[in-house]
């Protein structure tokens, strides 16, 4: 079986869809579209527990979707993946007109 460049594109897209198939992760990435945020700032916008938030952020960081930096005791997260940003632009745009959609 021959694998070409388009096959790899579909494989990468499928991996991204799988990673972002969790609503909490989509919410996190959509919130980070607005700019870098600390865990406590994210928790103020997304109603999940702190341990759950850390677990999702860890998965997003390990796969290169988000980057992080530490300032003292705080960790700030940002989107590092252009592919994830483009995908979430489409998803998040649909929720913008719905006030409680991100919660």
């Amino acid at each position: 079986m021959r694998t070409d460049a388009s096959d790899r594109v579909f494989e990468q897209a499928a991996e991204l869809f799988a990673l972002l198939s969790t609503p909490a992760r989509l919410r996190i990435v959509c919130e980070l579209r607005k700019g870098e945020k600390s865990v406590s700032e994210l928790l103020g916008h997304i109603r999940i527990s702190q341990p759950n938030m850390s677990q999702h952020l860890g998965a997003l960081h390990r796969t290169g979707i988000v980057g992080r930096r530490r300032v003292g005791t705080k960790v700030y997260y940002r989107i590092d993946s252009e592919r994830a940003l483009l995908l979430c632009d489409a998803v998040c745009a649909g929720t913008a007109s719905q006030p409680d959609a991100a919660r």
Side-chain angles (χ1 to χ4, degrees):
M1 184 170 144
R2 191 175 137 252
T3 302
D4 61 15
S6 67
D7 289 336
R8 185 63 193 135
V9 168
F10 287 120
E11 289 170 10
Q12 290 175 340
E15 290 168 5
L16 182 60
F17 284 138
L19 182 66
L20 296 177
S21 66
T22 305
R25 290 183 187 159
L26 278 173
R27 288 182 181 112
I28 290 167
V29 175
C30 284
E31 195 59 40
L32 291 175
R33 284 176 63 237
K34 301 171 190 171
E36 185 179 71
K37 293 195 174 21
S38 68
V39 174
S40 60
E41 289 171 317
L42 288 168
L43 287 168
H45 295 281
I46 302 167
R47 295 180 189 163
I48 60 175
S49 68
Q50 191 279 327
N52 200 358
M53 176 70 75
S54 293
Q55 182 181 47
H56 288 302
L57 286 168
L60 292 168
H61 180 260
R62 282 189 302 277
T63 56
I65 303 297
V66 300
R68 64 183 177 198
R69 69 181 176 95
R70 182 176 296 276
V71 177
T73 59
K74 286 192 173 191
V75 178
Y76 292 88
Y77 289 88
R78 68 187 175 280
I79 297 176
D80 268 359
S81 168
E82 186 67 27
R83 290 179 303 136
L85 185 60
L86 291 173
L87 176 63
C88 286
D89 279 347
V91 173
C92 298
T95 65
S97 62
Q98 300 172 7
D100 291 329
R103 296 190 185 232

